[in-house]
Amino acid sequence: MTFFSSLFAILFISRFLENSLLSAEVKEGEILPPTIQKLMKGYNKYLRPFFDNGPVTVGMSLDIASIDTISEINMDYTATIFLRQRWTDERLVFEGNKSLSLDGRLVELLWVPDTFIVDSKKSFLHDITVENRLIRIFPNGTVLYALRITTTVACNMDLTKYPMDKQTCTLQLESWGYNVNDVMFYWARGNDSVSGLDTLRLAQYTIEDHYTSESEAVYETGNYPKLIFHFELKRSILYFILETYVPSSLLVVLSWVSFWISQSSVPARICIGVTTVLTMTTLMMGARTSLPNANCFIKAIDVYLGICFSFIFGALIEYAVAHFCTLNHPDCNNLLMYGHHMHECEEEMNGIVTTIASNSSRLKRRKDSPALAPTHAADGEPGLAPSSPTTSEPKTAEAPAELFSRCAKNISALRKILRSINCCHVENPHYIDNYSRLTFPLSFIIVNLLYWTYYLYF
């Protein structure tokens, strides 16, 4: 008994649904005007136009309503666009000279291209107050189909020159299921097919150039039509100059104030050095919050912040070196005594050289004088004659000459060593601050010229 009751209930429900569908079809036919009823008679929306007579050509045009966000972290942009597609359907030709504007919901009765956005991460069709779709049929069978879409599209960015970079993003349209043998895409008016960019205002970018191109997407399942819209974005650097470059440069200048503070004021100079280093570190961390956390880019802003940090840290190291030299030279009297001592050493060495030179010249004169003749005494006996100069005198003359040459060589070498040591020696630690007052600003200016020249013109 239960089985028969269940079977009866199923038959009753199926009969009721069939009657409801039939009544819906009748009502749908009643609300359509005669022209549309005539067009829809025998129309199959599952078959494309010119099914047996070659591909159907679809013309595209875009109107960029807005580009809301451009994210370097996600490497994408979000835009709201009006996508318009035109094609000819020979089954929709009718007599007359006026086009038919239909309700967007009637698009379900027609064949439409299966266009999709290639690099879209997420998209949606606006539906307030109704779905933002337009369908218009012309007497020659041309169909205009327009949509209002907001889409988030991926854009590969090269952030090497950030924030002086230029990015080229694309919007690619393809057919999902129809290959080039079934559907052909083309831009309706070439580069003028995309409008709305002239009046577009972005927060950090300006649109420098845009153009369109046509291509084919090659997949394993075949070749599919593709339309590409390219637009070039140039970042506005004024925000980053005020936010990052000027504060970091002022911190570098602030670190130079310690060069004009006395070296005995240890707390003041240490406080300036450590404060500027910590502030620069905080500024470097804040500049990276709006960028990808894990990337392989060495950005231009990182290079500049690294340069500023190096100069600030160098100013702190400069004081450490100057203070160390001050500890080794506590007063200027020792510096003067050291200078007098070096002068006395040079004079003493010059005296030694002069003495050796005079002795050598005296020996040479003695060697060149003629030998004394033999003498006799008054009683006729021969007297004592001086010893022959050929025995001992040449030896004594040669020895001082060799000694002089050796001493001269050793003294000249010692003099060179002392001069090199004297050059490396800091006679007055206050000279370090004096040199730093000139070398640090001059080096920073030169590095800035090289930095801005490279990143702006290369």
Side-chain angles (χ1 to χ4, degrees), residues 83-130:
L83 174 61
R84 299 184 181 93
Q85 306 176 78
R86 291 174 180 267
W87 69 93
T88 300
D89 193 340
E90 78 283 3
R91 298 170 295 181
L92 298 178
V93 177
F94 62 92
E95 296 180 357
N97 55 3
K98 293 183 179 180
S99 61
L100 296 177
S101 297
L102 306 180
D103 189 278
R105 288 166 287 191
L106 291 179
V107 74
E108 303 295 338
L109 303 176
L110 302 176
W111 177 91
V112 294
D114 55 348
T115 308
F116 76 101
I117 301 174
V118 178
D119 296 325
S120 176
K121 295 182 178 180
K122 56 181 179 180
S123 303
F124 65 90
L125 178 67
H126 291 262
D127 56 359
I128 301 299
T129 57
V130 293

Side-chain angles (χ1 to χ4, degrees), residues 204-262:
Q204 292 187 12
Y205 292 90
T206 56
I207 300 177
E208 285 200 332
D209 190 18
H210 63 89
Y211 59 95
T212 59
S213 63
E214 300 177 7
S215 179
E216 290 185 5
V218 180
Y219 298 103
E220 184 180 356
T221 55
N223 298 349
Y224 296 86
K226 177 193 288 188
L227 297 181
I228 307 174
F229 168 59
H230 310 259
F231 57 99
E232 187 176 286
L233 301 170
K234 182 180 180 181
R235 196 184 304 272
S236 301
I237 196 176
L238 181 60
Y239 168 80
F240 298 93
I241 289 177
L242 299 177
E243 187 75 12
T244 304
Y245 283 95
V246 171
S248 58
S249 301
L250 291 178
L251 284 176
V252 175
V253 175
L254 180 62
S255 67
W256 298 340
V257 175
S258 62
F259 301 152
W260 277 267
I261 299 177
S262 174

Side-chain angles (χ1 to χ4, degrees), residues 81 132 190 194 256 309 323 334 350 371 381 387 396 401 416 445:
I81 62 174
N132 297 169
V194 181
W256 298 340
F309 184 84
H323 188 66
N334 290 342
N350 291 333
E381 293 181 0
S387 60
T396 58
K416 291 179 180 179
I445 292 173

Side-chain angles (χ1 to χ4, degrees), residues 363 366-367 388-402:
L363 289 174
R366 184 181 298 175
K367 177 181 177 181
S388 175
T390 59
T391 57
S392 63
E393 224 172 16
K395 294 180 180 180
T396 58
E398 291 176 0
E402 294 178 358

